[in-house]
Amino acid sequence: CFAGGTAGRSLSEPEDAFLRAERLADELARLRDEKRALELQVLSQDSSALELQFEASASGAEAERLKRRVKELEGANAILAANARAGGGGAGGGDLGSGGGGLGV
C-alpha cells in the first residue's frame, strides 16, 4: 500500500509541476500587462504635469505683465488727476494720450 501511494505521488508530480508552470506563466503575462498599463499611466501623468508647469509659468508671466500695466495706468491716472486739480481740465489731458506730441509746442 505504501509503494502504491509513492507511485501515485510520483506520477502526479510532473503534472503538478506543469500546472504550476502554467499558472506562473499566466501570472507573469498578467503582471507584464499591468506593468505596461502602469507605465502608460505614469507617462500620461508626466505629460499632464509638464503641461501644468507650462501653464503656470505662462500665467505667472501674464500676471507680472498685468501688474506692470496696472502701475502704468495708475501713474497715468495720477498725472491726469493732478492736471485736473491744477486747472488743466480736459485740455491738459490731451498731451498724455497724443503720444507726447503736444510737449514740444
XYZ file of all heavy atoms in Angstrom:
745
model
N 0.832 -1.194 0.000
C 0.000 0.000 0.000
C 0.866 1.242 0.000
O 0.558 2.193 -0.658
C -0.909 -0.048 1.234
S -2.195 1.188 1.217
N 1.941 1.215 0.749
C 2.845 2.346 0.840
C 3.497 2.654 -0.500
O 3.615 3.791 -0.904
C 3.908 2.076 1.918
C 4.856 3.223 2.103
C 4.476 4.351 2.790
C 6.128 3.161 1.566
C 5.345 5.396 2.957
C 7.000 4.216 1.733
C 6.620 5.342 2.425
N 3.902 1.594 -1.232
C 4.543 1.760 -2.530
C 3.564 2.350 -3.528
O 3.940 3.158 -4.373
C 5.097 0.438 -3.039
N 2.299 1.960 -3.449
C 1.306 2.492 -4.370
C 1.109 3.982 -4.168
O 0.936 4.729 -5.105
N 1.140 4.425 -2.908
C 0.999 5.846 -2.616
C 2.171 6.642 -3.150
O 2.021 7.740 -3.660
N 3.319 6.073 -3.092
C 4.508 6.747 -3.608
C 4.451 6.824 -5.116
O 4.780 7.846 -5.705
C 5.797 6.007 -3.166
O 5.771 5.881 -1.758
C 7.015 6.731 -3.601
N 4.009 5.728 -5.740
C 3.918 5.721 -7.200
C 2.879 6.740 -7.664
O 3.085 7.438 -8.643
C 3.562 4.322 -7.692
N 1.774 6.841 -6.958
C 0.749 7.818 -7.321
C 1.257 9.236 -7.184
O 0.955 10.100 -7.982
N 2.037 9.461 -6.163
C 2.590 10.790 -5.932
C 3.611 11.134 -7.012
O 3.649 12.238 -7.509
C 3.219 10.843 -4.546
C 3.281 12.251 -4.023
C 3.821 12.352 -2.610
N 3.290 11.329 -1.722
C 4.018 10.717 -0.803
N 5.290 11.007 -0.647
N 3.490 9.817 -0.016
N 4.423 10.170 -7.386
C 5.464 10.445 -8.363
C 4.874 10.688 -9.748
O 5.431 11.428 -10.540
C 6.499 9.319 -8.398
O 5.886 8.134 -8.894
N 3.747 10.064 -10.046
C 3.107 10.317 -11.336
C 2.460 11.697 -11.388
O 2.434 12.338 -12.422
C 2.046 9.251 -11.620
C 2.554 7.859 -11.946
C 1.390 6.905 -12.130
C 3.418 7.877 -13.193
N 1.960 12.181 -10.270
C 1.298 13.483 -10.271
C 2.284 14.646 -10.114
O 1.936 15.773 -10.426
C 0.248 13.539 -9.178
O 0.853 13.518 -7.899
N 3.478 14.378 -9.664
C 4.456 15.463 -9.505
C 4.778 16.164 -10.812
O 4.756 17.401 -10.865
C 5.719 14.945 -8.826
C 5.551 14.724 -7.343
C 6.808 14.189 -6.672
O 7.876 14.225 -7.293
O 6.691 13.733 -5.532
N 5.046 15.461 -11.910
C 5.282 16.164 -13.171
C 4.053 16.948 -13.632
O 4.164 18.061 -14.148
C 5.618 15.055 -14.166
C 6.079 13.920 -13.332
C 5.310 14.030 -12.045
N 2.892 16.357 -13.409
C 1.660 17.061 -13.782
C 1.470 18.307 -12.922
O 1.112 19.380 -13.423
C 0.472 16.115 -13.613
C -0.817 16.670 -14.170
C -1.946 15.663 -14.059
O -1.812 14.555 -14.590
O -2.955 16.019 -13.425
N 1.711 18.190 -11.627
C 1.627 19.350 -10.729
C 2.625 20.426 -11.133
O 2.297 21.621 -11.126
C 1.883 18.927 -9.276
C 0.739 18.105 -8.689
O -0.368 18.127 -9.282
O 0.966 17.442 -7.657
N 3.824 19.995 -11.484
C 4.848 20.961 -11.896
C 4.419 21.671 -13.173
O 4.602 22.888 -13.316
C 6.189 20.260 -12.090
N 3.835 20.924 -14.109
C 3.366 21.516 -15.362
C 2.252 22.527 -15.097
O 2.264 23.643 -15.633
C 2.878 20.419 -16.312
C 2.298 20.948 -17.578
C 3.116 21.415 -18.591
C 0.916 21.003 -17.757
C 2.579 21.921 -19.762
C 0.369 21.505 -18.928
C 1.211 21.967 -19.938
N 1.299 22.148 -14.262
C 0.198 23.066 -13.938
C 0.706 24.309 -13.216
O 0.245 25.434 -13.471
C -0.853 22.340 -13.100
C -1.632 21.246 -13.818
C -2.539 20.512 -12.823
C -2.441 21.816 -14.966
N 1.659 24.110 -12.313
C 2.243 25.251 -11.598
C 2.966 26.179 -12.578
O 2.848 27.393 -12.498
C 3.212 24.755 -10.523
C 3.787 25.867 -9.678
C 4.565 25.314 -8.482
N 5.006 26.401 -7.640
C 6.227 26.923 -7.682
N 7.142 26.436 -8.489
N 6.559 27.928 -6.887
N 3.687 25.584 -13.528
C 4.392 26.387 -14.536
C 3.396 27.177 -15.388
O 3.640 28.344 -15.710
C 5.263 25.490 -15.409
N 2.274 26.572 -15.729
C 1.245 27.278 -16.496
C 0.659 28.441 -15.703
O 0.462 29.534 -16.232
C 0.133 26.314 -16.902
C 0.437 25.498 -18.119
C -0.785 24.738 -18.613
O -1.749 24.529 -17.830
O -0.776 24.359 -19.785
N 0.368 28.190 -14.422
C -0.165 29.270 -13.567
C 0.831 30.412 -13.459
O 0.464 31.584 -13.537
C -0.504 28.723 -12.170
C -1.806 27.954 -12.102
C -2.255 27.711 -10.658
N -1.210 27.109 -9.830
C -1.013 25.811 -9.670
N -1.793 24.954 -10.293
N -0.054 25.353 -8.880
N 2.115 30.052 -13.288
C 3.140 31.095 -13.179
C 3.300 31.863 -14.488
O 3.480 33.087 -14.480
C 4.476 30.479 -12.742
C 4.531 29.975 -11.310
C 5.846 29.241 -11.051
C 4.352 31.116 -10.318
N 3.208 31.190 -15.618
C 3.286 31.856 -16.922
C 2.110 32.811 -17.110
O 2.276 33.936 -17.601
C 3.337 30.823 -18.041
N 0.917 32.367 -16.709
C -0.262 33.233 -16.794
C -0.100 34.461 -15.897
O -0.425 35.589 -16.292
C -1.531 32.470 -16.397
C -1.932 31.428 -17.437
O -1.434 31.491 -18.581
O -2.747 30.538 -17.080
N 0.391 34.228 -14.687
C 0.592 35.346 -13.760
C 1.646 36.304 -14.299
O 1.500 37.517 -14.202
C 0.990 34.826 -12.382
C 1.096 35.932 -11.348
C 1.424 35.439 -9.948
O 1.456 34.209 -9.728
O 1.642 36.294 -9.086
N 2.712 35.775 -14.895
C 3.748 36.615 -15.473
C 3.181 37.476 -16.591
O 3.447 38.689 -16.658
C 4.908 35.758 -15.990
C 6.065 36.510 -16.648
C 6.719 37.463 -15.656
C 7.079 35.518 -17.199
N 2.370 36.894 -17.446
C 1.739 37.647 -18.536
C 0.836 38.750 -17.982
O 0.848 39.892 -18.467
C 0.953 36.702 -19.440
N 0.060 38.407 -16.949
C -0.829 39.413 -16.335
C -0.027 40.547 -15.724
O -0.353 41.727 -15.890
C -1.700 38.742 -15.264
C -2.705 39.688 -14.608
C -3.419 39.030 -13.438
N -2.539 38.602 -12.372
C -2.022 39.428 -11.434
N -2.282 40.710 -11.467
N -1.252 38.939 -10.481
N 1.058 40.206 -15.035
C 1.888 41.233 -14.402
C 2.583 42.112 -15.436
O 2.735 43.318 -15.231
C 2.905 40.585 -13.461
C 2.316 39.963 -12.192
C 3.384 39.177 -11.438
C 1.698 41.031 -11.308
N 2.986 41.516 -16.556
C 3.593 42.322 -17.625
C 2.581 43.303 -18.205
O 2.911 44.453 -18.471
C 4.159 41.410 -18.709
C 5.456 40.766 -18.318
C 6.017 39.909 -19.439
N 7.320 39.370 -19.054
C 7.847 38.285 -19.563
N 7.199 37.610 -20.509
N 9.021 37.860 -19.165
N 1.353 42.846 -18.408
C 0.292 43.732 -18.903
C 0.024 44.857 -17.910
O -0.137 46.019 -18.294
C -0.998 42.943 -19.156
C -0.895 42.014 -20.360
O 0.025 42.194 -21.180
O -1.753 41.105 -20.466
N -0.018 44.498 -16.644
C -0.240 45.504 -15.601
C 0.904 46.516 -15.575
O 0.675 47.718 -15.432
C -0.378 44.814 -14.247
C -0.766 45.744 -13.115
C -0.959 45.011 -11.794
O -1.256 43.803 -11.803
O -0.800 45.668 -10.750
N 2.134 46.026 -15.733
C 3.301 46.913 -15.762
C 3.204 47.890 -16.928
O 3.445 49.089 -16.766
C 4.584 46.094 -15.870
C 5.833 46.940 -15.944
C 7.057 46.087 -16.188
C 8.267 46.968 -16.445
N 9.354 46.234 -17.069
N 2.833 47.392 -18.107
C 2.677 48.267 -19.277
C 1.610 49.324 -19.024
O 1.792 50.499 -19.352
C 2.322 47.441 -20.508
C 3.520 46.957 -21.293
C 3.084 46.358 -22.624
N 2.343 45.115 -22.404
C 2.869 43.914 -22.445
N 4.142 43.777 -22.707
N 2.131 42.845 -22.232
N 0.492 48.912 -18.440
C -0.590 49.863 -18.157
C -0.127 50.930 -17.169
O -0.421 52.120 -17.338
C -1.804 49.120 -17.601
N 0.621 50.528 -16.153
C 1.117 51.500 -15.170
C 2.149 52.437 -15.788
O 2.176 53.635 -15.471
C 1.708 50.771 -13.962
C 0.683 50.049 -13.076
C 1.396 49.185 -12.038
C -0.250 51.043 -12.412
N 2.990 51.912 -16.675
C 3.971 52.765 -17.352
C 3.265 53.814 -18.208
O 3.666 54.979 -18.222
C 4.913 51.924 -18.212
C 5.930 51.138 -17.411
C 6.738 50.160 -18.244
O 6.318 49.834 -19.389
O 7.786 49.713 -17.756
N 2.205 53.398 -18.916
C 1.429 54.353 -19.710
C 0.780 55.408 -18.820
O 0.730 56.593 -19.176
C 0.369 53.625 -20.532
C 0.891 52.800 -21.704
C -0.251 52.004 -22.345
C 1.555 53.690 -22.732
N 0.297 54.990 -17.673
C -0.318 55.928 -16.735
C 0.710 56.938 -16.231
O 0.437 58.134 -16.153
C -0.934 55.159 -15.567
C -1.688 56.024 -14.588
C -2.288 55.200 -13.455
O -2.152 53.980 -13.395
N -2.956 55.876 -12.546
N 1.919 56.469 -15.930
C 2.982 57.367 -15.461
C 3.352 58.357 -16.560
O 3.510 59.562 -16.306
C 4.210 56.558 -15.001
C 5.428 57.446 -14.836
C 3.906 55.836 -13.700
N 3.484 57.873 -17.794
C 3.811 58.772 -18.904
C 2.726 59.823 -19.103
O 3.025 60.991 -19.345
C 4.016 57.973 -20.193
C 5.271 57.135 -20.268
C 5.277 56.285 -21.531
C 6.514 58.012 -20.209
N 1.489 59.406 -18.991
C 0.377 60.343 -19.133
C 0.407 61.401 -18.033
O 0.212 62.589 -18.285
C -0.946 59.584 -19.094
O -2.026 60.475 -19.120
N 0.679 60.966 -16.806
C 0.733 61.914 -15.690
C 1.931 62.850 -15.824
O 1.834 64.038 -15.504
C 0.763 61.159 -14.364
C -0.560 60.492 -14.042
C -0.526 59.634 -12.794
O 0.528 59.311 -12.277
N -1.691 59.251 -12.308
N 3.061 62.335 -16.322
C 4.220 63.192 -16.556
C 3.890 64.264 -17.593
O 4.245 65.428 -17.441
C 5.421 62.374 -17.037
C 6.096 61.602 -15.918
O 5.783 61.848 -14.739
O 6.956 60.750 -16.237
N 3.204 63.847 -18.648
C 2.812 64.787 -19.696
C 1.877 65.859 -19.132
O 2.043 67.052 -19.411
C 2.126 64.029 -20.832
O 1.665 64.923 -21.812
N 0.916 65.432 -18.335
C -0.011 66.394 -17.725
C 0.718 67.351 -16.790
O 0.431 68.552 -16.766
C -1.098 65.652 -16.941
O -1.891 64.891 -17.814
N 1.680 66.832 -16.044
C 2.448 67.677 -15.126
C 3.242 68.723 -15.896
O 3.305 69.895 -15.496
C 3.375 66.824 -14.261
N 3.846 68.319 -17.017
C 4.599 69.280 -17.830
C 3.683 70.358 -18.399
O 4.043 71.545 -18.419
C 5.333 68.555 -18.960
C 6.550 67.751 -18.553
C 7.093 66.956 -19.736
C 7.627 68.663 -17.990
N 2.502 69.957 -18.851
C 1.545 70.934 -19.367
C 1.145 71.921 -18.276
O 1.071 73.129 -18.515
C 0.300 70.225 -19.896
C 0.515 69.479 -21.187
C -0.729 68.725 -21.633
O -1.851 69.114 -21.255
O -0.563 67.742 -22.363
N 0.900 71.418 -17.081
C 0.510 72.293 -15.975
C 1.635 73.236 -15.582
O 1.398 74.409 -15.266
C 0.060 71.458 -14.770
C -1.266 70.720 -14.948
C -1.520 69.790 -13.767
C -2.418 71.689 -15.114
N 2.880 72.751 -15.612
C 4.017 73.617 -15.313
C 4.122 74.728 -16.349
O 4.370 75.890 -16.005
C 5.326 72.819 -15.287
C 5.494 71.980 -14.054
C 6.762 71.138 -14.092
O 7.290 70.837 -15.150
N 7.243 70.750 -12.921
N 3.932 74.392 -17.623
C 3.977 75.399 -18.677
C 2.880 76.436 -18.476
O 3.120 77.639 -18.580
C 3.840 74.735 -20.052
C 3.787 75.714 -21.172
C 4.944 76.331 -21.628
C 2.577 76.040 -21.772
C 4.892 77.249 -22.659
C 2.520 76.961 -22.803
C 3.674 77.570 -23.253
N 1.662 75.960 -18.198
C 0.545 76.879 -17.983
C 0.784 77.770 -16.770
O 0.465 78.964 -16.793
C -0.756 76.100 -17.822
C -1.249 75.468 -19.101
C -2.503 74.625 -18.909
O -3.153 74.743 -17.854
O -2.816 73.851 -19.824
N 1.351 77.215 -15.714
C 1.632 78.011 -14.519
C 2.675 79.079 -14.822
O 2.546 80.229 -14.387
C 2.109 77.107 -13.385
N 3.690 78.709 -15.576
C 4.729 79.663 -15.945
C 4.150 80.787 -16.810
O 4.435 81.963 -16.589
C 5.856 78.935 -16.692
O 6.828 79.851 -17.118
N 3.334 80.408 -17.794
C 2.711 81.404 -18.664
C 1.779 82.313 -17.863
O 1.749 83.536 -18.078
C 1.952 80.714 -19.794
N 1.033 81.742 -16.933
C 0.129 82.548 -16.102
C 0.903 83.506 -15.212
O 0.494 84.657 -15.018
C -0.743 81.638 -15.236
O -1.598 80.867 -16.036
N 2.031 83.048 -14.685
C 2.863 83.920 -13.858
C 3.412 85.092 -14.659
O 3.419 86.238 -14.186
N 3.867 84.812 -15.880
C 4.383 85.880 -16.743
C 3.270 86.865 -17.089
O 3.484 88.089 -17.094
C 4.996 85.284 -18.011
N 2.078 86.362 -17.377
C 0.940 87.229 -17.690
C 0.558 88.077 -16.478
O 0.262 89.268 -16.600
C -0.247 86.379 -18.153
C -1.502 87.164 -18.467
C -1.400 88.024 -19.716
O -0.368 87.978 -20.411
O -2.358 88.760 -19.983
N 0.590 87.488 -15.290
C 0.264 88.242 -14.073
C 1.264 89.375 -13.866
O 0.867 90.499 -13.517
C 0.253 87.309 -12.864
N 2.548 89.106 -14.087
C 3.570 90.151 -13.946
C 3.351 91.263 -14.968
O 3.479 92.446 -14.659
C 4.977 89.563 -14.095
C 5.393 88.715 -12.915
C 5.372 89.494 -11.600
O 5.878 90.640 -11.557
O 4.853 88.947 -10.615
N 3.028 90.888 -16.209
C 2.764 91.895 -17.245
C 1.572 92.757 -16.861
O 1.611 93.988 -16.981
C 2.499 91.203 -18.588
C 2.316 92.183 -19.746
C 1.813 91.492 -20.996
N 0.452 91.012 -20.872
C -0.641 91.789 -20.988
N -0.507 93.093 -21.184
N -1.842 91.272 -20.887
N 0.527 92.137 -16.348
C -0.668 92.890 -15.956
C -0.394 93.798 -14.761
O -0.922 94.918 -14.698
C -1.821 91.931 -15.664
C -2.384 91.199 -16.892
C -3.396 90.146 -16.470
C -3.004 92.179 -17.875
N 0.449 93.347 -13.828
C 0.813 94.204 -12.691
C 1.554 95.452 -13.179
O 1.305 96.560 -12.691
C 1.683 93.439 -11.697
C 0.929 92.434 -10.860
C 1.877 91.678 -9.940
C 1.169 90.576 -9.187
N 2.099 89.801 -8.340
N 2.481 95.251 -14.138
C 3.204 96.413 -14.688
C 2.232 97.364 -15.384
O 2.336 98.582 -15.252
C 4.282 95.950 -15.672
C 5.498 95.339 -15.018
C 6.650 95.170 -16.005
N 6.296 94.396 -17.182
C 6.368 93.068 -17.275
N 6.797 92.365 -16.247
N 6.028 92.456 -18.388
N 1.283 96.806 -16.119
C 0.305 97.633 -16.830
C -0.571 98.404 -15.850
O -0.884 99.576 -16.074
C -0.559 96.745 -17.735
C -1.540 97.509 -18.574
C -0.857 98.432 -19.559
N -1.868 99.114 -20.345
C -1.769 100.352 -20.754
N -0.673 101.044 -20.516
N -2.736 100.898 -21.437
N -0.960 97.771 -14.759
C -1.760 98.457 -13.733
C -0.972 99.634 -13.170
O -1.510 100.741 -12.999
C -2.180 97.473 -12.613
C -2.683 98.211 -11.381
C -3.242 96.512 -13.124
N 0.326 99.431 -12.890
C 1.153 100.530 -12.375
C 1.258 101.664 -13.388
O 1.200 102.844 -13.024
C 2.546 100.021 -12.004
C 2.565 99.199 -10.739
C 3.964 98.747 -10.396
C 3.936 97.878 -9.142
N 5.268 97.403 -8.782
N 1.399 101.325 -14.673
C 1.448 102.361 -15.715
C 0.144 103.159 -15.737
O 0.162 104.392 -15.812
C 1.668 101.721 -17.085
C 3.039 101.135 -17.296
C 3.136 100.345 -18.609
O 2.143 100.307 -19.376
O 4.192 99.751 -18.848
N -0.979 102.453 -15.680
C -2.281 103.130 -15.724
C -2.529 103.961 -14.463
O -3.108 105.053 -14.533
C -3.394 102.107 -15.929
C -3.398 101.426 -17.302
C -4.435 100.313 -17.330
C -3.637 102.431 -18.413
N -2.085 103.440 -13.308
C -2.227 104.221 -12.074
C -1.399 105.496 -12.160
O -1.845 106.563 -11.718
C -1.806 103.386 -10.869
C -2.808 102.306 -10.495
C -2.315 101.371 -9.407
O -1.088 101.311 -9.164
O -3.158 100.680 -8.806
N -0.195 105.385 -12.726
C 0.641 106.580 -12.899
C -0.001 107.582 -13.837
O -0.012 108.794 -13.570
N -0.543 107.094 -14.949
C -1.215 107.977 -15.898
C -2.439 108.616 -15.255
O -2.705 109.816 -15.446
C -1.618 107.195 -17.147
N -3.182 107.852 -14.458
C -4.360 108.374 -13.766
C -3.955 109.449 -12.761
O -4.636 110.478 -12.623
C -5.103 107.232 -13.070
C -6.458 107.661 -12.555
O -7.129 108.478 -13.174
N -6.864 107.110 -11.422
N -2.839 109.234 -12.066
C -2.371 110.234 -11.100
C -1.992 111.531 -11.810
O -2.294 112.625 -11.314
C -1.176 109.681 -10.326
N -1.360 111.423 -12.976
C -0.995 112.623 -13.748
C -2.247 113.354 -14.199
O -2.342 114.586 -14.079
C -0.110 112.247 -14.954
C 1.257 111.772 -14.465
C 0.032 113.410 -15.917
C 2.127 111.167 -15.553
N -3.229 112.599 -14.701
C -4.482 113.232 -15.142
C -5.200 113.897 -13.974
O -5.742 114.999 -14.108
C -5.383 112.194 -15.804
C -4.935 111.691 -17.173
C -5.855 110.566 -17.636
C -4.916 112.832 -18.184
N -5.203 113.249 -12.828
C -5.860 113.824 -11.657
C -5.139 115.091 -11.214
O -5.778 116.080 -10.842
C -5.895 112.804 -10.525
N -3.800 115.080 -11.250
C -3.035 116.268 -10.870
C -3.300 117.401 -11.850
O -3.442 118.566 -11.438
C -1.544 115.938 -10.828
N -3.385 117.097 -13.123
C -3.693 118.129 -14.126
C -5.086 118.699 -13.913
O -5.300 119.903 -14.049
C -3.594 117.551 -15.541
C -2.168 117.399 -15.998
O -1.244 117.967 -15.421
N -1.978 116.603 -17.048
N -6.032 117.843 -13.559
C -7.400 118.299 -13.335
C -7.461 119.202 -12.112
O -8.146 120.221 -12.118
C -8.337 117.102 -13.155
N -6.709 118.844 -11.056
C -6.693 119.682 -9.851
C -5.993 121.013 -10.119
O -6.337 122.033 -9.551
C -5.974 118.954 -8.722
C -6.824 117.899 -8.044
C -6.194 117.400 -6.763
N -4.836 116.887 -6.971
C -4.520 115.622 -7.264
N -5.497 114.732 -7.376
N -3.279 115.239 -7.441
N -5.025 121.004 -11.007
C -4.268 122.225 -11.292
C -5.015 123.123 -12.263
O -4.526 124.189 -12.602
C -2.899 121.867 -11.869
N -6.161 122.668 -12.716
C -6.953 123.501 -13.599
C -6.730 123.171 -15.056
O -7.206 123.873 -15.927
N -6.002 122.130 -15.325
C -5.758 121.734 -16.709
C -7.012 121.205 -17.364
O -7.174 121.284 -18.559
N -7.898 120.640 -16.578
C -9.157 120.113 -17.104
C -8.924 119.081 -18.180
O -7.933 118.385 -18.197
N -9.814 119.026 -19.113
C -9.733 118.055 -20.193
C -8.683 118.429 -21.223
O -8.141 117.583 -21.898
N -8.361 119.711 -21.387
C -7.417 120.136 -22.422
C -6.010 119.665 -22.109
O -5.260 119.305 -23.001
C -7.445 121.655 -22.553
N -5.619 119.696 -20.848
C -4.279 119.289 -20.474
C -4.066 117.801 -20.600
O -2.948 117.357 -20.781
N -5.123 117.039 -20.532
C -5.012 115.583 -20.613
C -4.692 115.092 -22.008
O -4.277 113.967 -22.184
N -4.831 115.934 -23.011
C -4.570 115.514 -24.382
C -3.127 115.181 -24.621
O -2.804 114.384 -25.479
N -2.217 115.765 -23.882
C -0.805 115.524 -24.092
C -0.453 114.054 -23.804
O 0.357 113.469 -24.493
C 0.048 116.424 -23.195
C -0.007 117.889 -23.614
O -0.457 118.171 -24.737
O 0.408 118.712 -22.790
N -1.049 113.499 -22.789
C -0.733 112.121 -22.405
C -1.222 111.149 -23.466
O -0.500 110.253 -23.870
C -1.377 111.798 -21.048
C -1.039 110.445 -20.453
C 0.433 110.382 -20.145
C -1.864 110.199 -19.227
N -2.405 111.366 -23.966
C -2.966 110.453 -24.945
C -2.424 110.662 -26.350
O -2.526 109.798 -27.189
N -1.812 111.755 -26.662
C -1.345 112.027 -28.019
C 0.046 111.507 -28.270
O 0.623 111.758 -29.313
C -1.384 113.538 -28.297
O -0.438 114.183 -27.450
N 0.625 110.814 -27.341
C 1.951 110.263 -27.545
C 3.039 111.280 -27.287
O 4.169 111.104 -27.711
N 2.732 112.361 -26.632
C 3.729 113.349 -26.281
C 3.966 114.398 -27.343
O 4.867 115.214 -27.245
N 3.162 114.384 -28.389
C 3.326 115.350 -29.461
C 3.091 116.775 -29.026
O 3.657 117.708 -29.587
N 2.292 117.017 -28.015
C 1.972 118.359 -27.574
C 3.019 118.957 -26.648
O 2.961 120.115 -26.320
N 4.026 118.186 -26.242
C 5.029 118.690 -25.301
C 5.974 119.668 -25.925
O 6.495 120.546 -25.253
C 5.798 117.519 -24.697
C 4.995 116.541 -23.834
C 5.879 115.406 -23.382
C 4.406 117.261 -22.644
N 6.224 119.547 -27.215
C 7.214 120.410 -27.854
C 6.668 121.756 -28.279
O 7.391 122.631 -28.729
N 5.367 122.038 -28.131
C 4.766 123.284 -28.593
C 5.046 124.412 -27.660
O 5.099 124.406 -26.524
C 3.239 123.095 -28.800
C 2.586 124.388 -29.181
C 2.979 122.017 -29.813
